[in-house]
């Protein structure tokens, strides 16, 4: 498993490229902005198939999805149903940084992902999700905007609910092994164990 992180756009949103050599699949997670950079990085992998997975549908995580999908022959994006309506809404924008996107590819629920567990993480949005990749050698969790190094996701944006977010973190993330690397939607990596001990929102 190879993981490449690209901080992109006005909010330095992390786009992750996860390449699984045994299956030849390249997962592009949260194509935030600057599609050319994502497409160029994808070209460094000898993949058989590329897929776009979304942790949630806020505009700063999806705005390059259309251009990336067309360039890499991806027919759809995969996203939890709770965020489908937000994904398709023209109101999903943060002007002037992220205007509405009119050329997004179709959206569907997640197909099966080999060597990956899709974790429901509602709270930051209704359809928030995490992706726990495990190739037998290492485990990484892509947490979207649910859990950050030393912080947690906002709940004052569309789809947010504080109690739901805290329950998702407690039940579905803090129950994971301490040594799992957490790759958040913004900022640097952390681990489950570090957040248990040092995250002020969780103590």
């Amino acid at each position: 498993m190879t993981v490449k992180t690209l901080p992109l756009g006005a909010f330095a949103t992390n786009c992750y490229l996860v390449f699984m050599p045994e299956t030849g699949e390249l997962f592009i997670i949260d194509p935030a902005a600057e599609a050319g950079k994502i497409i160029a990085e994808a070209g460094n992998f000898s993949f058989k198939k590329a897929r776009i997975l979304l942790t949630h549908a806020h505009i700063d995580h999806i705005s390059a999805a259309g251009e990336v999908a067309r360039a890499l022959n991806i027919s759809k994006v995969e996203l939890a149903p709770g965020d489908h309506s937000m994904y398709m809404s023209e109101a999903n924008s943060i002007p002037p940084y992220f205007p509405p996107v009119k050329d997004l590819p179709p959206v569907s629920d997640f197909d099966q992902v080999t060597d990956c567990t899709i974790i429901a993480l509602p709270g930051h949005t209704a359809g928030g999700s995490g992706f726990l990749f495990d190739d037998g050698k290492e485990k990484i969790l892509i947490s979207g905007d649910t859990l950050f190094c030393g912080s947690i996701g906002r709940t004052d944006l569309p789809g947010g609910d504080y109690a739901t977010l805290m329950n998702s973190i407690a039940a579905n993330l803090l129950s994971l092994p301490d040594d799992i690397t957490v790759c958040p939607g913004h900022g640097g990596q952390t681990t489950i164990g570090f957040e248990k001990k040092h995250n002020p929102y969780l103590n």
Side-chain angles (χ1 to χ4, degrees):
M1 176 169 57
T2 302
V3 181
K4 177 68 177 181
T5 308
L6 299 175
L8 302 171
F11 299 159
T13 303
N14 290 329
C15 171
Y16 295 99
L17 282 74
V18 181
F19 178 58
M20 308 297 283
E22 291 189 359
T23 64
E25 286 190 301
L26 176 66
F27 298 98
I28 300 168
I29 300 171
D30 292 357
E34 302 178 77
K37 290 184 179 180
I38 301 172
I39 295 164
E41 189 62 43
N44 293 325
F45 298 97
S46 299
F47 61 89
K48 298 177 182 177
K49 180 181 180 180
R51 294 165 63 179
I52 294 175
L53 308 182
L54 302 177
T55 62
H56 64 292
H58 282 155
I59 190 66
D60 63 311
H61 288 252
I62 69 170
S63 66
E67 190 173 345
V68 171
R70 288 190 296 274
L72 301 181
N73 196 30
I74 300 171
S75 62
K76 63 181 181 179
V77 302
E78 300 172 46
L79 172 69
D83 273 14
H84 285 195
S85 60
M86 183 190 302
Y87 173 86
M88 295 181 289
S89 172
E90 289 193 5
N92 187 20
S93 63
I94 310 175
Y97 307 105
F98 292 94
V101 180
K102 300 182 182 297
D103 63 347
L104 290 171
V107 62
S108 77
D109 196 0
F110 298 109
D111 292 334
Q112 183 175 357
V113 183
T114 303
D115 297 326
C116 176
T117 301
I118 298 170
I119 302 174
L121 296 175
H124 179 64
T125 66
S129 302
F131 309 114
L132 178 59
F133 287 91
D134 179 2
D135 66 355
K137 299 176 183 178
E138 62 177 327
K139 297 179 181 180
I140 65 160
L141 169 70
I142 296 177
S143 63
D145 286 1
T146 297
L147 181 65
F148 302 111
C149 181
S151 188
I152 59 173
R154 294 175 60 174
T155 56
D156 60 338
L157 299 172
D161 182 83
Y162 179 79
T164 301
L165 178 76
M166 296 305 293
N167 182 68
S168 290
I169 293 171
N172 297 334
L173 296 186
L174 299 187
S175 59
L176 297 173
D178 286 357
D179 61 351
I180 288 179
T181 299
V182 178
C183 300
H186 304 268
Q189 296 182 0
T190 184
T191 65
I192 293 294
F194 182 90
E195 297 310 307
K196 285 180 181 178
K197 292 180 180 180
H198 302 291
N199 192 316
Y201 295 92
L202 306 180
N203 294 323

